[in-house]
Amino acid sequence: MDRFFEKIIKPILIKYEASHIVEIGVFLAGRTTIKLLEFCKMMNSKLTVIDPAPGFNTYAYEAVFSDELVLHKKHSLEVLSEIQAADVVLIDGDHNWYTVYHELLAIEQIAAKSGKFPIVILHDTEWPYGRRDSYYFPENIPTQYRKSHAQKGMKAGSNELVETGGINETQYNAMHEYGEENGVLTAIEDFLKVTTFSLSFYRVYTNNGLGILAPRENRAETVMQYIMDTSGL
């Protein structure tokens, strides 16, 4: 998410005057988190962070941003039902179909309570995880949704995992790319087929991909198209 912050995420936060932001998954020792918190301090907004093992000094963050930060050291699907409303949700957690699909269903329930579907920004919508599951905690995924997987790396153009090398070789990656209920982008597409909200989906193809779900209404459509056209990504 950090690579997209200045050109896409921050303009969205400003244009939508986000008063409550939810970040699922902390990336690169909280580099995006600190930028979100600085925005919240400036705009008198709140940030809810959800991550079972955030890779930064949480005590320091909570001390400096005591008015802005609410931290949940839990898995996203344990927490989202407790949230009453959100303006923007950033998803960069467990990159697999089951988790992302059910996170989106939970966000839909938040929208049903508040009457407003938030802007949802999802990382890794292109290769390697757009069409391939990855599991930080395989045991948390129900058996029927958990693909055969291994701690092996991936190579562009190869449907199967490679025996040596490749990217993210220490993560639990699905043995095969593509197929039903496999990957972040597939989860988004499947959610769009069932949601009761009218949503537009925008894609950025660089830096492993970024997907943005926004309410299909005049202001949202105009704002999102402007941001996408001027981002240069």
Side-chain angles (χ1 to χ4, degrees), residues 33-63:
T33 306
I34 192 69
K35 292 177 181 179
L36 292 170
L37 286 168
E38 289 169 348
F39 172 85
C40 288
K41 184 173 281 291
M42 181 176 62
M43 303 300 293
N44 194 29
S45 301
K46 301 291 184 183
L47 174 67
T48 296
V49 172
I50 306 170
D51 192 306
F56 59 84
N57 186 334
T58 57
Y59 299 106
Y61 276 52
E62 289 175 308

Side-chain angles (χ1 to χ4, degrees), residues 32-33 37 44 74 88 128 134-135 147 151 155 177 183 196 217 228:
T32 300
T33 306
L37 286 168
N44 194 29
K74 296 181 179 180
V88 176
S134 178
Y135 311 110
K147 305 294 184 187
Q151 282 184 296
K155 183 178 179 181
E177 194 175 15
T196 58
E217 57 188 41
M228 298 295 284

Side-chain angles (χ1 to χ4, degrees), residues 33-159:
T33 306
I34 192 69
K35 292 177 181 179
L36 292 170
L37 286 168
E38 289 169 348
F39 172 85
C40 288
K41 184 173 281 291
M42 181 176 62
M43 303 300 293
N44 194 29
S45 301
K46 301 291 184 183
L47 174 67
T48 296
V49 172
I50 306 170
D51 192 306
F56 59 84
N57 186 334
T58 57
Y59 299 106
Y61 276 52
E62 289 175 308
V64 175
F65 298 100
S66 57
D67 293 331
E68 292 80 25
L69 175 62
V70 177
L71 176 63
H72 296 279
K73 294 182 182 180
K74 296 181 179 180
H75 298 284
S76 59
L77 298 180
E78 297 178 282
V79 178
L80 285 171
S81 61
E82 302 173 11
I83 296 174
Q84 299 302 309
D87 299 302
V88 176
V89 180
L90 291 81
I91 299 180
D92 194 10
D94 209 5
H95 297 104
N96 58 75
W97 183 92
Y98 176 83
T99 301
V100 174
Y101 182 75
H102 287 86
E103 285 171 341
L104 292 172
L105 290 178
I107 292 168
E108 183 177 47
Q109 291 304 306
I110 295 172
K113 289 183 287 189
S114 67
K116 180 181 69 173
F117 199 96
I119 304 296
V120 182
I121 304 171
L122 306 98
H123 195 210
D124 287 284
T125 52
E126 304 301 324
W127 191 85
Y129 293 126
R131 303 296 186 188
R132 187 196 296 270
D133 275 3
S134 178
Y135 311 110
Y136 286 117
F137 307 97
E139 65 278 6
N140 289 347
I141 308 300
T143 305
Q144 64 268 37
Y145 298 107
R146 189 169 62 232
K147 305 294 184 187
S148 298
H149 57 277
Q151 282 184 296
K152 294 181 180 180
M154 298 162 290
K155 183 178 179 181
S158 174
N159 179 280

